Amino acid sequence: EADIYQTPRYLVIGTGKKITLECSQTMGHDKMYWYQQDPGMELHLIHYSYGVNSTEKGDLSSESTVSRIRTEHFPLTLESARPSHTSQYLCASSPPGRGVLGFGSGTQLSVL
Amino acid sequence: AQSVAQPEDQVNVAEGNPLTVKCTYSVSGNPYLFWYVQYPNRGLQFLLKYITGDNLVKGSYGFEAEFNKSQTSFHLKKPSALVSDSALYFCAVRDYNNNDMRFGAGTRLTVKP
């Protein structure tokens, strides 16, 4: 299991709140990813980073933003949460080359 | 861009029977193929991968997968299913040129006693 940590594990908030989902990894991986997944459904890549100060949008349009100021940290921010943002958010990282992605346990977000 | 297809949303098998979860892929170059498993309310766990070499890849928990280049497939198999194998299974692919990984829609495996 990869050493990748996501907090909080569960989050219930009201509409309009600003939230940040945390993701950290201790392996020094340059590549990090955020996926969005509805319960029991497919994963959609929403953001990725190949290193410090590098961020890209993924396939699925998302109103979230990310930053990569430190190698080990890749937080995801929603400026104004809405019920449509209710989902599970999975963070992952991988070593150089075509290595295996390791996943965190996810953050289950519910916006009321 | 690379993509994968998992043609079955659901696979049901009886405990002790062999299981197969299907996956086909599309890439522009040599594929790097992966299988992950997801238990309820958890992240994804790596099962096995194919990068190069033998077409039959063995992974965790007794699972194996067969790479078939002519059919562009990478089906997951297990000779004897366990009830504890019940979970959501994802196939994923990277190609030679792209660094990001694409996942299939997932197949829910249910193993009944």
Side-chain angles (χ1 to χ4, degrees), chain B residues 6-7 19 21 25 32 35 42 57 59 63 75 81 83 91 101 103 106 110:
Chain B
Q6 293 181 242
L19 70 87
V21 182
Y25 65 89
Y32 299 86
W35 275 102
R42 299 293 300 276
V57 178
F63 283 93
H75 300 331
V83 173
C91 182
M101 185 177 286
F103 286 82
T110 301

Side-chain angles (χ1 to χ4, degrees), chain B residues 27-75:
Chain B
V27 296
S28 58
N30 291 325
Y32 299 86
L33 296 157
F34 306 81
W35 275 102
Y36 286 81
V37 59
Q38 185 180 35
Y39 297 100
N41 300 315
R42 299 293 300 276
L44 274 69
Q45 297 177 28
F46 168 73
L47 274 180
L48 51 80
K49 66 179 178 181
Y50 171 83
I51 304 296
T52 187
D54 290 340
N55 291 340
L56 186 63
V57 178
K58 293 187 183 297
S60 306
Y61 312 120
F63 283 93
E64 58 190 28
E66 186 169 10
F67 171 66
N68 187 316
K69 188 173 184 178
S70 63
Q71 296 184 3
T72 62
S73 67
F74 189 56
H75 300 331

Side-chain angles (χ1 to χ4, degrees), chain B residues 11-19 79-83 109-113:
Chain B
V11 170
N12 298 313
V13 298
E15 188 175 30
N17 283 0
L19 70 87
S80 179
L82 300 173
V83 173
L109 172 68
T110 301
V111 182
K112 297 184 177 179

Side-chain angles (χ1 to χ4, degrees), chain A:
Chain A
E1 197 89 11
D3 293 328
I4 184 163
Y5 306 99
Q6 289 186 245
T7 57
R9 183 72 181 88
Y10 300 96
L11 179 61
V12 180
I13 61 169
T15 297
K17 299 291 186 181
K18 177 180 178 179
I19 60 167
T20 296
L21 308 184
E22 302 289 347
C23 176
S24 296
Q25 48 96 4
T26 60
M27 297 158 290
H29 289 167
D30 285 329
K31 298 176 189 174
M32 296 189 74
Y33 309 82
W34 276 104
Y35 290 87
Q36 185 175 342
Q37 183 191 25
D38 291 329
M41 303 294 285
E42 63 190 296
L43 280 74
H44 295 285
L45 179 67
I46 53 174
H47 296 284
Y48 58 98
S49 169
Y50 292 158
V52 171
N53 295 325
S54 154
T55 61
E56 300 288 344
K57 288 187 179 294
D59 295 333
L60 183 67
S61 176
S62 174
E63 294 166 342
S64 59
T65 59
V66 292
S67 62
R68 191 84 183 278
I69 298 172
R70 304 197 318 263
T71 296
E72 61 271 21
H73 195 213
F74 190 41
L76 181 146
T77 298
L78 280 166
E79 291 293 333
S80 180
R82 296 206 302 269
S84 60
H85 295 140
T86 294
S87 190
Q88 176 165 234
Y89 293 83
L90 293 168
C91 183
S93 72
S94 70
R98 274 67 185 174
V100 174
L101 255 66
F103 283 83
S105 296
T107 293
Q108 181 61 52
L109 173 65
S110 296
V111 183
L112 306 178

